[in-house]
Amino acid sequence: MKARRRRERAQGASAQGSNAEGSSVPLRGDRVWVDSWQLQCCGGSLVVGEATSLTVVDADVEHLRPLLGELAATVPYWEEHHADSRWMGQRGGRTLEGRVARIDVVRTKSRPVEPGATLHAYDPSTVRLEPTDEATGQEGGAGYLVELVPAEARVVWVYGDDHAFSLGDTITLPVTGPDPEQLEQLLGTELGAVTDQTFPWAEPLKLRKVTGRVARIEMFRYAHQCDGDGSDWELVDGSVGRSEVEGVPGPASRSGDAWRNQVGYLVTLFPDR
């Protein structure tokens, strides 16, 4: 069921437009801490690929550190929709509008504050992030790290090294809509955020162009193997490695068996303005 929902979200993501005028548009993907209890209390959910509006305050890094460890310094906002306007105003309250690009369930173990004590505290050394495509408050973690991008942002799957660019460049890519069947094994819970993909084998007339400023690049290395009857290729289990990089080197970087050992990039393009 979840796999089907991811495919449906990917098919819908490429058609999404901008949010209403006057929204607060982040300059780069904004990471927001969302407590599980906030969703449990009021219902609702956050879904990768869908537009949303979050009421936030400036994050209290020292308060988040026991939950997140070193990750606390990377979280500028804390979702809060129960406090009164005066309290919110004192803490930089504002509304962020955008599209959900990623959700991680945060799981942290607790330990006694001292040997034999009944009072427990979170142990930041045990923090574990678990990607999910939907946050409902029922996933069993302490909360969520939610990444928002502008509603106009494009998240593009780029096959191979046919293009060369770096963070901050303004680029134009020839794309088609995302093919969920091709991308689901690689991207899993992030499939719903993908709006476009390059497709080197497509006829030029079937391609359109997207333009934007490169805000993020994630490189994927993976291996394919031929299936039993030799008619198709499938992903080798456990072969996917991913890392954030500063650029795509271009065709000159190719080496080895390009079919069996492949590389692709998940590229976030922000509006160039």
Side-chain angles (χ1 to χ4, degrees):
M1 180 64 75
K2 276 202 168 187
R4 187 182 71 187
R5 289 207 306 267
R6 284 199 292 268
R7 290 194 291 270
E8 291 171 348
R9 289 167 193 156
Q11 290 164 343
S14 61
Q16 291 188 5
S18 63
N19 273 347
E21 292 183 7
S23 63
S24 176
V25 178
L27 297 177
R28 194 174 190 267
D30 277 330
R31 188 177 254 183
V32 183
W33 169 259
V34 179
D35 289 296
S36 289
W37 71 265
Q38 295 271 10
L39 297 179
Q40 293 166 0
C41 174
C42 302
S45 63
L46 296 168
V47 179
V48 170
E50 292 191 357
T52 193
S53 174
L54 296 178
T55 304
V56 301
V57 295
D58 294 333
D60 183 340
V61 174
E62 293 309 312
H63 190 85
L64 285 176
R65 201 178 300 281
L67 276 169
L68 299 174
E70 294 181 357
L71 283 173
T74 71
V75 183
Y77 301 114
W78 188 319
E79 191 271 343
E80 173 58 69
H81 61 269
H82 286 90
D84 60 44
S85 58
R86 181 180 178 184
W87 187 92
M88 294 286 289
Q90 292 171 343
R91 291 160 177 80
R94 74 204 75 175
T95 297
L96 292 181
E97 296 188 3
R99 187 156 45 85
V100 179
R102 181 182 175 95
I103 303 173
D104 287 293
V105 183
V106 177
R107 304 192 186 280
T108 309
K109 295 180 180 180
S110 61
R111 54 179 172 76
V113 294
E114 59 184 35
T118 57
L119 181 63
H120 283 59
Y122 287 115
D123 180 356
S125 68
T126 66
V127 174
R128 180 166 59 90
L129 303 186
E130 182 180 296
T132 182
D133 58 359
E134 185 173 9
T136 65
Q138 307 301 322
E139 284 74 20
Y144 308 88
L145 290 179
V146 178
E147 184 175 340
L148 288 185
V149 298
E152 307 95 327
R154 312 302 294 183
V155 179
V156 186
W157 173 258
V158 177
Y159 275 109
D161 293 321
D162 288 331
H163 307 274
F165 52 83
S166 301
L167 288 174
D169 290 352
T170 296
I171 63 172
T172 298
L173 294 172
V175 300
T176 65
D179 185 335
E181 298 295 338
Q182 291 182 359
L183 300 179
E184 186 171 12
Q185 288 186 71
L186 273 171
L187 302 181
T189 60
E190 291 173 83
L191 174 61
V194 178
T195 57
D196 315 275
Q197 72 177 60
T198 63
F199 196 72
W201 309 280
E203 298 177 18
L205 291 178
K206 294 183 178 180
L207 296 173
R208 50 189 168 78
K209 293 182 178 181
V210 295
T211 299
R213 179 169 50 84
V214 180
R216 184 177 184 181
I217 308 170
E218 277 197 280
M219 179 177 67
F220 289 70
R221 291 194 179 277
Y222 55 99
H224 274 172
Q225 63 184 4
C226 192
D227 64 11
D229 60 9
S231 62
D232 203 358
W233 295 78
E234 60 185 19
L235 191 68
V236 176
D237 289 342
S239 70
V240 180
R242 60 188 295 180
S243 58
E244 197 159 339
V245 297
E246 295 186 355
V248 176
S253 66
R254 294 177 185 167
S255 62
D257 188 336
W259 283 103
R260 295 183 187 276
N261 300 296
Q262 299 201 34
V263 63
Y265 301 86
L266 197 59
V267 180
T268 303
L269 300 179
F270 278 15
D272 186 30
R273 58 188 181 201

